[in-house]
Amino acid sequence: MSAPELSVGHSGLMDQVYRHQRHIYDLTRKYYLLGRDRMIAELAPPPGGTVLELGCGTGRNLILAARRYPEAHFYGLDISAEMLVTARAAIAKAGLQDRITLAQADATAFDAEALFARKSFDRVFVSYSLSMIPGWESTIAAGLAATNGSLHIVDFGQQERLPGWFRGLLHRWLAKFHVTPRESLAREASRQAREAGRDCRFTPLYRGYAWLAVIGAQELPLGAPR
């Protein structure tokens, strides 16, 4: 299956999954999508900076981040047209449509300049989306290519310090929504950071329930202008 065919197929699947769930998504997910607010608190874009979310869903994170950083401008993309309907309504209700710009696109391969008339962003973040994206490794690469600052990732961990029965129950529940926690997330983020000449900070949260990774700005050669 070619990349365009995969993108169209996944877009249809996500629309099917969230056609009805989008109406109750934020109400239900707040109890088990842990670590999102910590990630937002660590974004710290510069004054007048730009922030892009890959897989923005209902717009919940973009709205919270826009309120926390009133001097920044925010952008979001999602492959699901259904989710973007909810996101646009929520953003308009919050009165933030002038500071948050949305577009439909595949997080594994997108043209930021065509979508947003921008080549790069000060911050890029991905919240609980990698566990739903086929070829999720490409999303990390795309995120790194889209930022001249840092890439922030939060997603399900492997529950490594939680009881085995809990891990099994959680994974069976998540599978109903086409969610697969990425066992190699830490290794892949570290590998891509290393190849890009960047540092990577990895933090397990809540006994491994969630994992938080931050890939920093590209290291500049000594003497290079900053």
Side-chain angles (χ1 to χ4, degrees), residues 106-175:
D106 186 341
T108 66
F110 58 90
D111 185 338
E113 190 167 15
L115 293 172
F116 304 117
R118 299 197 61 86
K119 290 184 178 179
S120 64
F121 305 83
D122 295 296
R123 304 286 186 271
V124 175
F125 69 95
V126 194
S127 171
Y128 284 94
S129 293
L130 295 184
S131 50
M132 299 192 70
I133 297 176
W136 57 275
E137 299 92 341
S138 296
T139 298
I140 297 178
L144 285 174
T147 182
N148 51 14
S150 53
L151 170 64
H152 302 247
I153 300 167
V154 67
D155 214 309
F156 291 105
Q158 291 297 302
Q159 299 80 51
E160 55 269 24
R161 294 178 57 208
L162 290 168
W165 64 264
F166 178 87
R167 181 179 186 275
L169 183 64
L170 177 64
H171 282 227
R172 287 193 295 273
W173 168 253
L174 294 176

Side-chain angles (χ1 to χ4, degrees), residues 43 50-54 62 73-77 101 110 112 116 121-126 142-143 146-147 151:
L43 289 175
T50 55
V51 181
L52 170 66
E53 180 177 15
L54 305 181
L62 288 170
H73 194 95
F74 293 82
Y75 301 81
L77 61 85
T101 304
F110 58 90
F116 304 117
F121 305 83
D122 295 296
R123 304 286 186 271
V124 175
F125 69 95
V126 194
T147 182
L151 170 64

Side-chain angles (χ1 to χ4, degrees), residues 50-68:
T50 55
V51 181
L52 170 66
E53 180 177 15
L54 305 181
C56 64
T58 63
R60 179 262 189 195
N61 295 327
L62 288 170
I63 291 170
L64 288 181
R67 287 171 172 165
R68 186 180 183 94

Side-chain angles (χ1 to χ4, degrees), residues 20-106:
H20 302 295
Q21 283 194 50
R22 64 188 175 89
H23 299 293
I24 60 170
Y25 185 92
D26 289 332
L27 179 63
T28 57
R29 267 58 175 185
K30 70 179 181 179
Y31 297 108
Y32 64 90
L33 298 187
L34 308 178
R36 294 181 297 173
D37 293 350
R38 171 170 171 169
M39 179 194 64
I40 291 170
E42 293 182 357
L43 289 175
T50 55
V51 181
L52 170 66
E53 180 177 15
L54 305 181
C56 64
T58 63
R60 179 262 189 195
N61 295 327
L62 288 170
I63 291 170
L64 288 181
R67 287 171 172 165
R68 186 180 183 94
Y69 305 108
E71 295 183 4
H73 194 95
F74 293 82
Y75 301 81
L77 61 85
D78 202 282
I79 202 168
S80 169
E82 294 285 347
M83 280 299 222
L84 288 173
V85 169
T86 295
R88 290 191 174 97
I91 289 166
K93 183 177 180 180
L96 292 168
Q97 59 269 41
D98 292 337
R99 293 185 48 228
I100 302 176
T101 304
L102 301 178
Q104 185 177 12
D106 186 341

